[in-house]
Structures are given as C-alpha cells and as structure tokens.
C-alpha cells in the first residue's frame, strides 16, 4: 500500500487547480443508465471512485471509457445485460447504491447489494427505499441485497413503470435525494419531494437530468418537483469543481505559516459556511481572478464548529478544520452531527502530539504551537486529507499510510502540494 511522506514547515505559495467534483460525477455517471448512449462527462476527476463506478457500469453491460489525461468519461452504450450491483463492487464504494433508482426506472427491476456500513457510520438507505416504495416499487431485502421490482400492472407481473409520488424525507440525504430524482425522471406523473438535500452536487445532477430531457424543478433547494417523461436522451456535460477538494487546499494554505495560496476553479458561494468560520479564525480569504486567495498573518483564533446539511458547515470539512484548530490560540469545540463515527483522525493526530478530547459527538481541541511528525494511518477519505495537512506544518517527518483512502477523493494530492512548495512525496508499496 502506498504512503505519503511529508517534511513539515515549508510555506506554500502558488496556485492549485481543483478537479471536477467527485460527489457530482458519481450520480451523473449513474444517470447515464437512464438513456441510451453516447454520453460524455468532461472535467471528471481521475479518482478510484470513478474507476469503481465505471467498473459497475461495465458489469451492468455498459461500455465505459475513462481517459485520465483529458478527464473525460465516455459512455457510448448503456445496453443492460444485468440489473445487479454485486456486493464485491458496492462494498468498495457505498455510492454504488446510486444505480438503484436508474435501474428501476429504466429496467423495472434491480438487485443492489446493501452498502453496509463504513468507517464513518452505519450509513443506512431506508430513505432511498421508502421513496421508491412510495413510487410503487416493491422492495425486498434478501441475503444482504435490495431486490426492487417496479409496480405490478393489472393482471401482469411486476417490473412496471414507477409512478410519481409525494415524498417527505425524514432527514436530508444527498444520495437519497439523488436516487429518487433519477427514479422520478422516468416515472409516470409528477413527483414532489420535501426536505431534500440542498448540496451543490444535487443541483448539478438536476442540471444534467434536464439536459437529458427531464423536467426537474428546485434541485438544490429543499423542495424538488419532477414531471416524469417517457424517455431521456444522452448528454454532454462538464462537471462543476470539487468544493471539498478546494476547501481542503484552502485549509492547507491557512494552516502552514507564511503561506499564500490561490485555489482555482472553486465556486466560493458553495463554501460560505467554511469561509465564514475560516475568516472568524483570522484567515484572509478573497476572490482572485479564477480562484480564491488564502493567506494568514498572525495567530489563528479558536472557532467552534457544528456540522450540518448544506448550506451548513460540511461534515466533509470537519477533520480538516479540526487540524487547523490544533494551531489556534485557545480551545475550540467541533461537533459532528451527520455521522456517528467521524473522529477517527483524532487518535492519529494525538500521535502527533495534538491535545484533543472526545465527548460523544463533540471534540474539544486545545490549540498549541506545534505538532510532531509521526507515522499515522489513514482511515477514511477526509481523515486522510487532514493528516496530510497536519504533516505540512508538523516538526519533522510524517508518513501517512494507507493512502488508498486519499486516492478515492483527491487527484494527485502530493503532486499538487509539492507544486506549491511542500516537501512531500508518494512512497510506493510502504507497509500498511
Ligand atoms: C453524501 O453521502 C456524500 N457522498 C458524503 O461524502 C457526505 O459526507 C454526505 O453526503 C453528507 O454530506 C456522496 O455524495 C457520494 P447522506 P450520503 O445520505 O448520501 C443518514 C465524501 O467524503 N441517512 O446525506 O451517503 C446517514 O446515516 C463522502 O466524499 C439515513 O439515516 O450521506 C447520515 O447520518 C463521505 N437514511 C445522514 O443521513 C438514509 O436512507 C446524511 O447521510 C440515508 C441517510
């Protein structure tokens, strides 16, 4: 397994271009199942999760070509030979559950492995399933799989066309909203969904579905209305920038003394909660041409953060902001309300000398001057990124192991950081 080795203390200066948004690319790749080909995704990040999704689409019978140089993914054909997402693929990436809605809408039947939990939490999909049942699907759980069947036509068997429905989510769920948007796009009649997730990636999926000929209103707000249509067409779409990747590099620029970094491609409005908290901590953030310039003179101030669904503070930025707060002059409290186990970066940071106490869903961070470089273990995608940031300012050498977690969501992170002055490199085949 690879590791990333970092020697801390080098100021960062220069521009970092972010890639296309992973969490927009994944549902949009699954949306190709709703139409025949050829569809084309541009500005698609070169990540493990994209490769996993491509493998899943191929397993279903699609032709998929991923070009990591041009960042294009072509889906020439989507002729289904199967309607099953097997455990071997779904366990690698729980977002594979996003084929459930499209398969049911296109094919009338679907068999998708339950994603199971992951490092950060149980991650149930009850909201996805309740919504599909409201649209007339029959859902059975058998031996770890969701067996979904379209409505039974009079006198016929199942596998019929979904029907529009009124759906109220018990809580905002990003992939739940996306799964049901894709199912409703081809359903018969109107679907109205309340308490939807409002993430920019949900809005981006709505744009693509409308490009395909769907009639989606309100994507990106908490109420989404969809008039089902008979058929959808393939699309050509360039994906929005990855706001979480961008926010991660903004934190890196704020964390390392004396840095002056411009993060290019991100849409500042999609990160308002993060920007507000960083500014409260004493970080200077301003638009600068195609990007966002991040600098800091003087010490960081402690700031309390509670994660919340968008537009609240993103849970995917919690670990990174916590690392920033280890440098603040005083005590701050980070509260994680979305996932039940998203503090696994804390024991690793404690190995680097951080003073952090966990009390249930909150972590109290006692700011201090420095961390010491150490060998640490990546556990999940964003925790890995936070350990790399810590290594950038820790004294001495840090080795972040099991960076396959990082490769799921960050394209060439060590190259992008080296290009702005960090002393870091990838160590192939390091021990796990
Ligand atoms: C999406 O996951 C993102 N992944 C996650 O990003 C992100 O952390 C998360 O949204 C929250 O913003 C993708 O978009 C591919 P949820 P998702 O359904 O959709 C509960 C990353 O780092 N819930 O919005 O799986 C759930 O347990 C990843 O890129 C139910 O109870 O998250 C959680 O507590 C990590 N029942 C909360 O809702 C359901 O049916 C939010 O989960 C669905 C969710």
């Amino acid at each position: 397994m690879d590791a990333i080795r970092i020697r801390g203390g080098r100021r960062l200066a220069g521009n970092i271009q972010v890639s296309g948004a992973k969490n927009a690319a994944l549902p949009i790749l699954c949306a190709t199942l709703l139409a025949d080909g050829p569809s084309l995704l541009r500005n698609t990040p070169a990540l493990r999760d994209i490769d996993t999704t491509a493998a899943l689409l191929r397993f279903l019978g699609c032709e998929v070509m991923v070009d990591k140089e041009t960042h294009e993914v072509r889906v020439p054909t989507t002729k289904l030979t199967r309607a099953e997402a097997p455990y071997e693929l779904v366990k690698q990436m729980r977002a594979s559950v996003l084929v459930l809605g499209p398969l049911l809408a296109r094919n009338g039947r679907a068999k998708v492995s339950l994603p199971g939990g992951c490092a950060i939490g149980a991650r149930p999909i009850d909201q996805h399933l309740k919504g599909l049942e409201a649209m007339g699907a029959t859902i059975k759980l058998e031996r770890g799989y969701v067996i979904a069947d379209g409505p039974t036509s009079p006198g016929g068997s199942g596998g019929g066309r979904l029907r529009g429905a009124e759906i109220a989510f018990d809580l905002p769920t990003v992939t739940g909203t996306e799964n049901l948007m894709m199912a409703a796009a081809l359903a018969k009649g109107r679907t109205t969904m309340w308490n939807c997730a409002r993430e920019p990636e949900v809005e981006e999926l709505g744009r693509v579905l409308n490009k395909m000929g769907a009639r989606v209103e309100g994507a990106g707000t908490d109420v989404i209305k969809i008039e089902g249509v008979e058929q959808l067409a393939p699309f050509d779409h360039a994906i929005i920038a990855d706001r979480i990747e961008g926010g991660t590099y903004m934190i890196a620029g704020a964390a390392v003394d004396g840095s002056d970094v411009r993060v290019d491609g991100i849409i500042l409005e999609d990160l308002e909660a993060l920007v507000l908290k960083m500014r409260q901590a004493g970080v200077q953030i301003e638009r600068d041409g195609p990007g966002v310039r991040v600098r800091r003179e003087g010490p960081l101030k402690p700031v309390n953060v509670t994660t919340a669904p968008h537009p609240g503070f993103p849970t995917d930025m919690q670990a990174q902001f916590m690392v920033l707060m280890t440098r603040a002059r005083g005590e701050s409290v980070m509260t994680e309300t979305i996932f039940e186990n998203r503090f696994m970066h804390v024991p690793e940071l404690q190995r680097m000398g951080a003073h952090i106490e966990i009390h249930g869903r909150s972590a109290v961070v006692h700011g201090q001057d420095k961390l010491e470089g150490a060998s640490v273990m990546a556990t999940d995608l964003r925790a890995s990124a936070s350990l790399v940031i810590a290594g950038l300012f820790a004294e001495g050498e840090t080795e972040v192991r099991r960076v396959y977690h990082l490769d799921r969501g960050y394209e060439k992170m060590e190259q992008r950081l080296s290009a702005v002055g960090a002393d870091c490199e990838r160590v192939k085949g390091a021990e796990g």
Side-chain angles (χ1 to χ4, degrees):
M1 289 182 247
D2 292 359
I4 288 184
R5 190 173 294 153
I6 310 150
R7 277 165 290 279
R10 299 272 289 271
R11 66 185 286 274
L12 308 181
N15 304 340
I16 300 177
Q17 174 65 48
V18 301
S19 299
K22 167 178 84 81
N23 289 350
L26 299 180
I28 291 170
L29 271 171
C30 296
T32 60
L33 291 168
L34 292 168
D36 292 332
S39 286
L40 172 59
L41 281 72
R42 304 173 194 273
N43 195 34
T44 310
L47 299 171
R48 239 159 49 95
D49 276 8
I50 299 296
D51 297 338
T52 304
T53 308
L56 175 55
L57 294 179
R58 292 188 191 106
F59 181 85
L60 296 171
C62 303
E63 202 186 340
V64 185
M65 296 176 299
V66 178
D67 185 327
K68 295 186 191 288
E69 296 309 313
T70 62
H71 289 91
E72 289 180 346
V73 176
R74 292 180 181 282
V75 184
T77 62
T78 60
K79 300 249 175 303
L80 297 179
T81 53
R82 293 189 185 92
E84 176 180 343
Y87 177 64
E88 291 66 32
L89 283 171
V90 177
K91 74 176 185 323
Q92 291 178 43
M93 184 190 69
R94 49 173 290 95
S96 309
V97 74
L98 284 167
V99 298
L100 181 56
L103 282 177
L104 204 45
R106 174 87 182 277
N107 177 59
R109 284 192 167 85
K111 179 180 178 186
V112 175
S113 168
L114 277 165
C118 74
I120 62 179
R123 314 285 295 271
I125 59 167
D126 57 297
Q127 302 293 308
H128 302 232
L129 304 182
K130 273 169 63 177
L132 292 172
E133 285 175 324
M135 297 169 80
T138 308
I139 303 282
K140 282 188 292 186
L141 300 183
E142 271 174 25
R143 303 169 59 77
Y145 277 81
V146 174
I147 314 284
D149 217 353
T152 305
S153 44
S157 61
R161 186 180 177 190
L162 294 170
R163 298 185 297 266
E166 300 208 329
I167 297 163
F169 287 103
D170 297 335
L171 78 174
T173 154
V174 174
T175 48
T177 302
E178 292 165 344
N179 234 337
L180 297 184
M181 283 167 71
M182 292 188 280
L186 283 176
K188 184 173 172 50
R190 164 182 282 242
T191 296
T192 303
M193 303 194 290
W194 287 274
N195 199 21
C196 300
R198 298 187 272 176
E199 273 69 3
E201 294 76 28
V202 173
E203 186 173 5
E204 178 77 342
L205 174 64
R207 281 189 205 99
V208 171
L209 289 174
N210 285 339
K211 262 190 182 178
M212 298 174 76
R215 293 168 59 192
V216 178
E217 280 173 37
T221 75
D222 59 338
V223 180
I224 298 177
K225 294 184 183 349
I226 299 175
E227 281 299 336
V229 296
E230 300 294 321
Q231 193 173 5
L232 292 171
F235 61 85
D236 177 337
H237 187 76
I239 288 167
I240 53 170
D242 194 314
R243 63 193 170 97
I244 302 300
E245 183 194 12
T248 303
Y249 288 124
M250 288 168 67
I251 294 268
V256 182
D257 292 341
S259 295
D260 184 346
V261 169
R262 194 181 80 188
V263 181
D264 287 348
I266 48 178
I267 305 156
L268 207 52
E269 289 70 27
D270 290 343
L271 282 170
E272 280 175 345
L274 173 69
V275 170
L276 175 72
K277 292 294 181 179
M278 289 181 72
R279 283 177 173 152
Q280 286 174 352
V283 181
Q284 288 162 280
I285 298 174
E286 64 244 347
R287 290 177 202 285
D288 178 4
V292 173
R293 189 174 178 195
V294 179
R295 283 172 295 164
R296 168 172 61 86
E297 279 134 27
L300 284 159
K301 303 181 191 77
V303 173
N304 297 335
V305 164
T306 297
T307 63
H310 191 78
F313 189 97
T315 175
D316 293 347
M317 289 300 308
Q318 177 256 112
Q320 301 92 311
F321 197 87
M322 185 185 288
V323 169
L324 188 68
M325 288 296 99
T326 67
R327 309 214 70 192
R329 290 282 168 88
E331 197 173 273
S332 57
V333 181
M334 306 282 305
T335 302
E336 174 55 63
T337 67
I338 306 293
F339 292 114
E340 60 269 30
N341 186 30
R342 206 167 195 178
F343 285 146
M344 281 165 308
H345 43 289
V346 172
E348 301 305 311
L349 292 171
Q350 287 166 339
R351 286 176 47 72
M352 299 176 75
H355 298 150
I356 304 170
E357 297 139 22
I358 294 179
H359 303 281
R361 290 229 170 174
S362 293
V364 179
V365 183
H366 303 276
Q368 62 206 68
D369 264 351
K370 64 177 175 50
L371 296 181
E372 295 125 33
S375 283
V376 290
M377 191 79 73
T379 50
D380 67 270
L381 170 54
R382 306 306 171 182
S384 325
S386 72
L387 297 175
V388 172
I389 294 172
L392 292 174
F393 63 79
E395 284 192 343
E397 185 171 284
T398 296
E399 186 174 77
V400 181
R401 297 181 178 183
R402 298 190 181 176
V403 287
Y404 58 87
H405 291 289
L406 200 71
D407 296 338
R408 290 191 53 189
Y410 291 92
E411 187 178 344
K412 301 193 185 93
M413 177 180 256
E414 73 279 2
Q415 294 176 28
R416 290 183 180 177
L417 289 171
S418 304
V420 291
D423 180 353
C424 64
E425 75 260 341
R426 181 176 287 255
V427 178
K428 290 278 185 201
E431 64 177 273

